[in-house]
Amino acid sequence: MDQFSTNGPQLLLGGFPLSQLAERVGQTPFYAYDRNLLRSRVDELRSALPENVKLHFAMKANPMPAIVGFMAGLVDGIDVASSGELKIALDAGANPHEVSFAGPGKRDSELRQAVAAGVLINVESFREIDILATISQELELPARIAVRVNPDFELKGSGMKMGGGPKQFGVDAELVPELLAKIGEYKLAFEGFHLFAGSQNLKAESICDAQQKSYDLALALSRHAPSPVSFLNLGGGFGIPYFPGEKRLDLTSIGQNLMLLSKRASSDFPGASLVIELGRFLVGEAGIYVSRVIDRKVSRGQTFLVVDGGLNHHLSASGNFGQVIRKNYPVTIGNRMNASNNEIVSVVGPLCTPLDILADRMPLAVAEPGDLVVVFQSGAYGASASPQRFLGHPEVIEILV
Ligand SMILES: *Cc1c(COP(=O)(O)O)cnc(C)c1O
């Protein structure tokens, strides 16, 4: 993976040879994230996108507090999806005015915390509006509200669809006028709309198409709004390449499309901010997962490297987090970078389940017990998206270098 360099046999992360980094951590497995890569990804986006488009970090992609703290200083806002994430974001120093809270099942207590914190709440049902009206009265604080719309279109080519058709997310577009009327009756602080059509998309064209449709839908719905729109969150869905043949997303055309939309917005929604919210694209390529080879065995002609970590720490790389057909993430032997990939091996974890695979029959450098297996593209949906208690192995450590 070309975002990382090497020195002799060693993969480098944040300037450290991998073997030394493993000593510094004191154990395997671990996740390591590279600050410089996080920063350069944000810089790359800033130069591709129009200046007045706000960049939010959807922290569910990587809620490690040190990452959220670092990202809070780089982006314009943090998107949270639970009161637990809200706490991490606020502890990290995120400005509550620029924090938004989405999620289909917000508990009453979470809504109360969000109103008290002064963050923007992306409401996803009529029930939330009723409860927020009560909370606003009790706390004598107007709830800040954006309406999350379940659009009447889908994000084409998206790894995970999160809008269009029947969905648990947001309020169906056709019901939004009725919801907006209620927000007006309750005198809640309406601020705008949130549309999020899907995730892990590598087709710039589909993303631009979804952004245009989201914009048009928000414009149509805004006629029913009780007050002017000040936030228009057009979602994200920017993907990263994981598998052979996948190409990096073309940011130039997305930037041009957002330029057109932000020009339109200056007359349609004067003074409003356009927001895009990204998780995976911001952090995914900056992280690696490192485990150590415990055993090497041959079963009926197939070679297995058994490592000390697997799906319990990295469900996504095992292929069990939303993949339809299992494919290998990019994997390497991180302390044998100058050896050629001379044998076909499978890398498996220590769990008693055949699902615990990190690489299935992949060409890798010949490795022995003690060597370090690296899974790239591991900065998003890793530790926090994995069943760490399953089989009772030690928890993974995460470091930001
Ligand atoms: C998960 C999620 C995101 C982040 O998605 P990525 O594919 O990681 O960029 C953004 N917004 C909402 C509402 C989400 O649920």
Side-chain angles (χ1 to χ4, degrees):
M1 300 306 297
D2 55 12
Q3 70 268 40
F4 294 100
S5 53
T6 59
N7 183 6
Q10 294 286 331
L11 182 76
L12 298 178
L13 189 134
F16 284 92
L18 189 66
S19 296
Q20 186 188 343
L21 204 59
E23 295 298 335
R24 178 187 135 177
V25 175
Q27 73 156 62
T28 50
F30 63 94
Y31 280 94
Y33 313 114
D34 185 324
R35 274 191 175 79
N36 285 329
L37 290 178
L38 294 172
R39 190 183 293 109
S40 57
R41 179 46 59 92
V42 171
D43 290 345
E44 188 190 344
L45 275 162
R46 297 273 193 211
S47 55
L49 305 181
E51 251 173 51
N52 53 354
V53 169
K54 293 198 169 170
L55 184 59
H56 281 201
F57 173 45
M59 65 170 278
K60 82 168 188 283
N62 193 326
M64 182 199 188
I67 292 252
V68 178
F70 186 70
M71 296 304 287
L74 294 178
V75 298
D76 305 308
I78 306 281
D79 293 332
V80 305
S82 68
S83 58
E85 288 192 353
L86 176 62
K87 177 181 187 306
I88 294 173
L90 296 175
D91 288 347
N95 175 357
H97 190 76
E98 305 291 346
V99 170
S100 56
F101 181 14
K106 299 181 200 75
R107 291 188 294 278
D108 294 16
S109 58
E110 289 181 303
L111 290 168
R112 211 174 164 90
Q113 286 174 272
V115 174
V119 304
L120 184 67
I121 301 164
N122 295 331
V123 300
E124 314 218 8
S125 75
F126 283 79
R127 165 194 153 266
E128 287 185 357
I129 290 294
D130 292 336
I131 293 167
L132 286 169
T134 311
I135 293 172
S136 290
Q137 269 190 344
E138 287 175 1
L139 302 188
E140 295 175 15
L141 281 170
R144 297 179 53 214
I145 287 177
V147 173
R148 181 170 181 180
V149 182
N150 175 26
D152 41 14
F153 56 84
E154 287 192 341
L155 178 54
K156 288 190 207 91
S158 174
M160 248 185 233
K161 293 194 169 54
M162 291 178 65
K167 286 284 179 304
Q168 72 267 51
F169 307 109
V171 174
D172 293 347
E174 55 277 21
L175 299 177
V176 168
E178 189 186 331
L179 186 79
L180 289 168
K182 249 189 144 176
I183 293 171
E185 281 164 34
Y186 282 140
K187 299 197 164 45
L188 300 172
F190 170 80
E191 297 193 8
F193 296 103
H194 173 219
L195 292 104
F196 182 77
S199 182
Q200 180 49 20
N201 203 312
L202 288 170
K203 295 198 186 83
E205 229 178 289
S206 313
I207 291 174
C208 294
D209 182 55
Q211 285 174 343
Q212 278 170 24
K213 286 178 174 157
S214 297
Y215 183 96
D216 291 336
L217 180 55
L219 182 59
L221 293 172
S222 69
R223 288 189 210 109
H224 304 272
S227 51
V229 168
S230 53
F231 272 103
L232 180 51
N233 184 336
L234 294 174
F238 297 14
I240 62 172
Y242 287 99
F243 310 121
E246 287 186 340
K247 291 215 182 67
R248 284 217 149 68
L249 189 61
D250 168 24
L251 285 182
T252 314
S253 55
I254 295 178
Q256 285 164 351
N257 187 58
L258 283 171
M259 182 66 85
L260 292 177
L261 292 179
S262 76
K263 281 201 185 113
R264 285 180 63 194
S266 61
S267 59
D268 292 335
F269 304 111
S273 307
L274 289 189
V275 178
I276 56 165
E277 50 174 15
L278 304 175
R280 187 190 312 268
F281 190 78
L282 289 174
V283 293
E285 300 199 66
I288 59 174
Y289 174 66
V290 183
S291 59
R292 199 180 287 279
V293 179
I294 293 176
D295 205 349
R296 178 190 164 93
K297 49 200 276 195
V298 178
S299 166
R300 308 211 161 105
Q302 192 178 333
T303 303
F304 291 88
L305 299 176
V306 187
V307 297
D308 58 5
L311 80 71
N312 51 324
H313 301 150
H314 202 335
L315 191 67
S316 309
S318 78
N320 295 295
F321 190 68
Q323 283 183 36
V324 182
I325 300 164
R326 191 191 176 284
K327 292 185 206 156
N328 292 328
Y329 271 42
V331 169
T332 196
I333 309 298
N335 59 323
R336 294 184 186 268
M337 297 302 290
N338 48 6
S340 34
N341 293 339
N342 273 345
E343 69 173 357
I344 305 282
V345 290
S346 292
V347 179
V348 299
L351 306 190
C352 291
T353 160
L355 300 177
D356 194 11
I357 305 173
L358 290 178
D360 185 22
R361 284 161 295 175
M362 194 173 178
L364 288 176
V366 177
E368 298 295 336
D371 284 339
L372 296 170
V373 173
V374 170
V375 182
F376 291 108
Q377 308 299 76
S378 295
Y381 304 107
S384 72
S386 301
Q388 297 219 34
R389 304 282 290 279
F390 188 38
L391 271 285
H393 288 276
E395 285 211 357
V396 72
I397 286 184
E398 295 176 276
I399 58 166
L400 176 59
V401 184

